[in-house]
């Protein structure tokens, strides 16, 4: 089934577009956490980040720098969070890859964070397992 962001990409649903290139579209979030909250999405249809081609990933990285820079200039907010949710448990609601750029004007606005830190007991093994999966 087509996601709401695919419909935006296809022009079936309107958006406030801020940036577009061959691989990426960026537009304002419809329910912003703060003024300037922007979504940056690949044109490639994929639900999670790890499913993207490296070409899409590289284009997204480049667009994130460009659009963040423009948001800082346009809003005056020098602080901001980049958020990218993959999967329902991780808080993803729209199942088309997207990065949030969320300006932070004050401690109380924008993205709220709860950082559940723990410790790593098997760091050497775990790092090797991830390296071997690359
Ligand atoms: P997620 O929780 O999946 O990371 O975030 C989805 C985001 O998409 C939310 O911030 C939500 O406000 C935004 N969103 C959902 N539907 C639309 C829409 O139709 N247009 C726009 N511009 N944003 C949307």
């Amino acid at each position: 089934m087509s996601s709401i962001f695919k419909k935006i990409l296809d022009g079936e649903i309107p958006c406030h577009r801020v940036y577009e290139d061959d691989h990426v579209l960026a537009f304002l979030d419809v329910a912003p956490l703060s003024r300037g909250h922007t979504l940056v999405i690949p044109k490639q249809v994929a639900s999670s980040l790890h499913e993207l081609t490296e070409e899409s990933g590289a284009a997204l990285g480049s667009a994130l720098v460009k659009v963040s820079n423009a948001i800082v200039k346009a809003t005056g907010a020098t602080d901001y969070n980049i958020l990218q949710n993959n999967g329902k448990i991780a808080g993803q609601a729209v199942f088309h890859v997207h990065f949030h750029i969320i300006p932070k004007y004050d401690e109380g606005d924008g993205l709220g964070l709860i950082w559940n830190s723990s410790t790593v007991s098997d760091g050497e093994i775990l790092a090797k397992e991830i390296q071997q999966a690359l």
Side-chain angles (χ1 to χ4, degrees):
M1 208 180 74
S2 187
S3 75
I4 199 114
F5 290 172
K6 177 70 170 107
K7 292 193 170 120
I8 288 175
L9 282 170
D10 291 343
E12 291 170 29
I13 290 179
C15 70
H16 293 296
R17 184 163 61 95
V18 301
Y19 175 77
E20 183 166 13
D21 64 29
D22 288 349
H23 297 285
V24 174
L25 177 70
F27 50 94
L28 297 182
D29 196 294
V30 77
L33 295 190
S34 65
R35 182 173 165 75
H37 181 170
T38 298
L39 300 171
V40 182
I41 74 170
K43 291 188 174 176
Q44 183 187 346
V45 174
S47 178
S48 288
L49 188 72
H50 67 274
E51 296 166 345
L52 291 177
T53 61
E54 294 204 2
E55 195 180 22
S56 273
L60 277 167
S62 173
L64 279 167
V65 175
K66 233 176 257 175
V67 177
S68 297
N69 192 15
I71 290 172
V72 166
K73 283 184 182 149
T75 65
T78 52
D79 293 13
Y80 56 94
N81 293 100
I82 304 283
L83 175 70
Q84 203 274 315
N85 300 324
N86 298 279
K88 199 170 164 210
I89 297 174
Q92 187 175 14
V94 177
F95 293 92
H96 181 113
V97 175
H98 53 281
F99 285 78
H100 299 255
I101 304 173
I102 309 166
K104 193 104 179 163
Y105 299 91
D106 213 334
E107 288 199 359
D109 66 23
L111 182 68
L113 284 176
I114 300 171
W115 204 258
N116 291 322
S117 299
S118 62
T119 54
V120 185
S121 55
D122 61 342
E124 208 163 318
I125 296 166
L126 181 58
K128 277 216 173 70
E129 284 173 350
I130 297 171
Q131 281 170 27
Q132 281 160 7
L134 283 170

